[in-house]
Amino acid sequence: MSSINSFLPTTKHELKKRSWNQVDVIIITGDAYVDHPSFGAAIIGRLLEKNNFKVAIISQPKWNNINDFTELGAPNLFFAITAGNTDSMVSNYTPNFRPRKKDSYSPGGNVGLRPDRAVIVYANKVKEAYPNTPIIISGIESSLRRFAHYDYWSNRVRKSILADAPADILIYGMGELQTIEIATKLSAGYNISSLSDIDGIVWKCSIKKWKEMNFLEQNKAIELPSYQDVSNDKKKFLKAFKIIHENQNPIMGKVLVQKHPKTIIIQNKPARVLTENELDSLYELPFLRASHPSYDKPVPALEPVKFSITTHRGCIGGCSFCSINAHQGRMIVSRSLKSILNEASSLTKMKDFKGIINGVGGPTSNMYSIKCPKWAKDGPCNNKLCLFPVPCKNLEYDTTKILEMLRELRKIEGVSKVFVGYGIRYDLAVLDENYIKELCEHHISGQLLVAPEHYSEKVTKIMRKPSNDVFESFVEKFNEINKNINKKQFLITYLMSGHPGCTIEDMVNTAEYIHEKNRYTEQVQEFTPTPMTLSTCIYHTGIDPFTGKEVHVPRSNKEKRIQRALLHYKNPRNHQYIYEGLKAAKRLDLVGNSWKCLISRVNKRKK
């Protein structure tokens, strides 16, 4: 076990051990304190430390009083607040609004250690305790709620989180550049109110001051439909979504402005992406890859990533339901091979390392080293996607560097296995059979994760996922290669139910397809609308903002239950729902004893 002094301090006792009376920045997080590069609070904390700032952590504070928030006193510079690695509402509730039974980011998986809407709650407590200390909010909860947004849990459009929380600045995106710039300027004597010119932040000002600044008349900003407009008019909501989407570009993006009842919300253009050297330096910080020793139970979220390596950032996938585009961005930034190998070598020196690196990649494993010649000058395209409906010809996708990295990792003394635990994009993998072959030979632990998400072409089109023929081509190559190398390895497929565009008929067809192809899986996720995704925009409005076409949205609990049940047709407890779905779709031919039937009979549930 590492010495407690090796972690950033969390108590007065730990401050005293460092001979500190006060710190520069206090990070408040809704997650347990885990010093690992997969945890946002740890990355920001270690980066601030590297830049000679004194940093402390308050993790999962009790919010019924201010005691935990005053434990370490006021920081010299600011409080940095995050809900943690996930939105607190997603952490606390299932798509059916039931309290979750487990929180993977809490010790022992215990629930109830973070409040609903954690950023707002924490910020109010800090403001109560230290009304004159600057508050910076960041992390995915803040990032995706930076404008007026549809909130699934209250079924209404909520104001920007910066309008609800008593914070001075919101950092959106990954946040490293902005955090260091803010800390550096505040330590140099700047006032927090003067830091409105930093890329990658959202700030607010009074309506009176905004009029005096004259931004719109000078064509320095684009005005979004106001909070009241997007709340009352779904067409205005669609318009706002499109403008936000089109200005996610760190090179070509514009300043965006949205009026709220008592304040003006201003988003500066996105921060630039990190360079290769900066990304290398970030992941080479002295992470202990452990949870704080004060916990008497393990933090479940650490286990699957403890001995993993992040090789790149960003995602070119553009899936409608995914928030990565709005948070990490659509440009890939990869680490150098040397940096990755150094990290792998450091893993072999850890006492509990068993020789297995269980994950190598980023949001997906096989986007490492991908480039586009347009990114440097123009950023990602607004008028087309990188992979949908087919991979763009401008993409520089060459598996040479991926394969070189994997081969070099296998050579490191003390490393016995290197697995691709993050899953892969099969529409990229299918472009190079040599990549699939090497994957099957060396980097799969018997099962490979892939996410077709659905088998209805109509639904996958709305999801911006590849067509079925691409998936079938990949499956064919995967099975053929495993047969040739005499290995029994399997695909674990992830599917989604209840997504906008999916009708009961579509789900019946998908269940029939799964049955015919022998693709049954337990890995089914029910669609959860989260702020700023295209799928959530469609869920709220019933319209695709880019085509203007109406889209069916499964809204009732019964329809969503039927859709999910159809994918789990082997479970007898689902048969009543499946029967109702088959009846509604006029497909009772799938009830019976023939080979094609999904269920043989319906067991009446006891009342």
Side-chain angles (χ1 to χ4, degrees):
M1 181 67 68
S2 302
S3 166
I4 200 165
N5 280 337
S6 299
F7 288 81
L8 298 174
T10 64
T11 64
K12 283 184 178 179
H13 175 68
E14 292 169 29
L15 287 181
K16 189 175 180 180
K17 281 197 168 186
R18 292 182 179 231
S19 300
W20 291 357
N21 293 319
Q22 189 177 30
V23 298
D24 298 312
V25 179
I26 294 177
I27 298 172
I28 300 176
T29 175
D31 291 339
Y33 176 26
V34 179
D35 191 40
H36 188 283
S38 292
F39 288 72
I43 281 191
I44 296 299
R46 288 298 186 189
L47 183 62
L48 283 164
E49 180 185 52
K50 180 188 176 183
N51 283 270
N52 299 315
F53 294 103
K54 295 178 181 179
V55 191
I57 301 276
I58 297 176
S59 65
Q60 299 187 318
K62 296 182 178 67
W63 62 93
N64 59 339
N65 57 58
I66 64 171
N67 294 345
D68 284 359
F69 297 88
T70 58
E71 164 75 13
L72 304 177
N76 285 321
L77 302 179
F78 61 88
F79 282 95
I81 296 176
T82 173
N85 276 13
T86 58
D87 186 288
S88 58
M89 300 304 289
V90 175
S91 294
N92 291 348
Y93 299 98
T94 70
N96 294 319
F97 305 100
R98 294 173 181 165
R100 291 194 186 274
K101 297 179 180 179
K102 180 180 178 181
D103 185 339
S104 295
Y105 290 94
S106 296
N110 292 330
V111 297
L113 299 181
R114 82 179 82 224
D116 295 351
R117 311 193 189 286
V119 168
I120 297 173
V121 173
Y122 293 160
N124 276 304
K125 287 300 177 184
V126 169
K127 196 70 174 178
E128 179 184 347
Y130 302 106
N132 298 318
T133 303
I135 298 173
I136 312 297
I137 59 175
S138 61
I140 199 159
E141 179 164 302
S142 298
S143 187
L144 300 185
R145 295 176 180 269
R146 58 189 186 262
F147 290 111
H149 56 280
Y150 173 73
D151 180 75
Y152 175 64
W153 294 270
S154 58
N155 192 30
R156 66 182 177 89
V157 175
R158 288 182 63 97
K159 291 182 287 187
S160 163
I161 195 171
L162 192 58
D164 279 337
D168 298 279
I169 289 175
L170 182 156
I171 293 174
Y172 69 98
M174 300 302 282
E176 291 91 0
L177 296 173
Q178 303 97 301
T179 302
I180 295 303
E181 186 172 355
I182 290 169
T184 301
K185 287 185 174 179
L186 289 178
S187 65
Y190 285 72
N191 188 283
I192 189 69
S193 63
S194 69
L195 306 185
S196 59
D197 60 345
I198 298 173
D199 289 346
I201 70 165
V202 182
W203 51 287
K204 58 188 175 184
C205 71
S206 67
I207 296 173
K208 180 181 177 181
K209 183 179 178 181
W210 175 250
K211 289 179 180 178
E212 293 171 354
M213 293 170 68
N214 210 24
F215 257 48
L216 296 177
E217 286 77 3
Q218 297 176 38
N219 294 319
K220 292 183 178 180
I222 299 174
E223 185 172 14
L224 299 172
S226 70
Y227 162 72
Q228 290 179 323
D229 286 341
V230 299
S231 298
N232 299 323
D233 187 338
K234 290 183 177 180
K235 289 184 178 178
K236 296 287 181 64
F237 188 97
L238 292 166
K239 180 181 179 181
F241 178 87
K242 284 188 68 177
I243 295 172
I244 295 168
H245 175 83
E246 290 166 356
N247 286 276
Q248 291 282 95
N249 189 322
I251 296 174
M252 307 299 289
K254 306 295 183 184
V255 174
L256 301 181
V257 180
Q258 189 173 55
K259 293 178 181 177
H260 280 60
K262 296 181 181 179
T263 191
I264 304 293
I265 300 296
I266 306 105
Q267 175 190 282
N268 293 351
K269 73 170 186 152
R272 66 171 175 83
V273 296
L274 299 182
T275 65
E276 179 187 276
N277 288 338
E278 287 170 335
L279 198 61
D280 285 351
S281 178
L282 192 65
Y283 284 93
E284 289 167 2
L285 293 170
F287 299 103
L288 298 173
R289 293 178 176 264
S291 56
H292 194 272
S294 63
Y295 301 134
D296 58 1
K297 294 180 180 179
V299 179
L302 174 61
E303 184 60 28
V305 299
K306 184 171 184 177
F307 299 114
S308 64
I309 297 175
T310 297
T311 61
H312 63 279
R313 272 192 182 175
C315 182
I316 60 173
C319 299
S320 300
F321 50 81
C322 184
S323 61
I324 291 175
N325 285 176
H327 191 62
Q328 283 197 22
R330 286 176 53 202
M331 293 191 287
I332 304 295
V333 182
S334 300
R335 292 171 62 186
S336 69
L337 177 59
K338 180 180 178 182
S339 176
I340 293 168
L341 297 180
N342 286 342
E343 183 174 347
S345 295
S346 71
L347 295 181
T348 65
K349 297 175 176 62
M350 296 179 66
K351 290 182 180 179
D352 51 348
F353 182 67
K354 307 296 184 185
I356 299 174
I357 298 175
N358 57 6
V360 177
T364 54
S365 294
N366 55 331
M367 289 185 187
Y368 177 71
S369 78
I370 284 182
K371 295 179 181 178
C372 174
K374 296 187 66 177
W375 286 347
K377 182 181 178 182
D378 301 319
C381 299
N382 276 337
N383 60 346
K384 61 180 179 179
L385 296 169
C386 298
L387 296 183
F388 181 82
V390 294
C392 177
K393 294 180 180 179
N394 289 327
L395 277 180
E396 296 176 0
Y397 176 66
D398 181 359
T399 59
T400 302
K401 288 188 177 181
I402 303 177
L403 294 176
E404 179 188 7
M405 173 187 67
L406 293 172
R407 290 165 186 163
E408 292 300 317
L409 286 171
R410 297 201 304 264
K411 293 178 184 178
I412 294 175
E413 185 177 352
V415 174
S416 58
K417 294 288 184 180
V418 180
F419 292 133
V420 176
Y422 289 90
I424 65 167
R425 283 288 301 213
Y426 56 84
D427 48 347
L428 284 173
V430 78
L431 301 176
D432 187 346
E433 192 167 325
N434 289 328
Y435 172 74
I436 303 176
K437 184 174 184 292
E438 189 131 354
L439 214 61
C440 292
E441 287 178 334
H442 301 287
H443 301 290
I444 300 175
S445 59
Q447 298 176 333
L448 178 65
L449 308 179
V450 290
E453 303 294 358
H454 216 283
Y455 297 120
S456 164
E457 298 284 336
K458 185 183 75 175
V459 180
T460 53
K461 186 175 181 179
I462 293 172
M463 289 179 164
R464 294 177 169 179
K465 294 290 289 186
S467 58
N468 274 2
D469 58 344
V470 177
F471 179 68
E472 290 300 337
S473 176
F474 172 76
V475 172
E476 184 179 345
K477 289 184 179 182
F478 179 83
N479 290 336
E480 180 184 354
I481 288 169
N482 278 297
K483 182 178 180 181
N484 292 339
I485 63 176
N486 198 29
K487 280 193 172 186
K488 288 186 177 181
Q489 300 189 120
F490 306 94
L491 294 175
I492 300 297
T493 54
Y494 281 75
L495 299 177
M496 185 177 292
S497 67
H499 190 275
C502 183
T503 63
I504 289 177
E505 290 80 4
D506 293 321
M507 199 56 88
V508 168
N509 293 337
T510 290
E512 186 178 23
Y513 180 88
I514 291 169
H515 184 56
E516 290 176 357
K517 296 287 186 178
N518 195 26
R519 298 258 165 76
Y520 190 83
T521 180
E522 293 292 336
Q523 309 301 323
V524 177
Q525 176 184 359
E526 187 172 315
F527 169 67
T528 303
T530 52
M532 282 193 74
T533 67
L534 172 59
S535 298
T536 298
C537 178
I538 298 174
Y539 179 91
H540 172 54
T541 63
I543 298 171
D544 185 323
F546 298 105
T547 65
K549 294 181 179 179
E550 291 188 3
V551 177
H552 171 76
V553 176
R555 296 189 190 277
S556 72
N557 288 334
K558 184 174 182 180
E559 181 179 358
K560 288 191 282 188
R561 184 68 181 86
I562 288 172
Q563 287 205 19
R564 183 167 185 136
L566 280 161
L567 295 182
H568 285 157
Y569 56 82
K570 289 186 178 182
N571 187 338
R573 290 181 298 178
N574 290 332
H575 284 186
Q576 180 65 41
Y577 287 105
I578 294 169
Y579 180 83
E580 290 181 42
L582 295 176
K583 184 178 180 181
K586 299 180 180 179
R587 291 300 309 275
L588 291 179
D589 58 299
L590 296 178
V591 179
N593 296 316
S594 74
W595 66 270
K596 72 172 187 175
C597 293
L598 296 179
I599 56 174
S600 58
R601 60 189 176 87
V602 177
N603 294 319
K604 292 185 178 179
R605 291 174 292 174
K606 293 181 180 180
K607 294 184 179 180

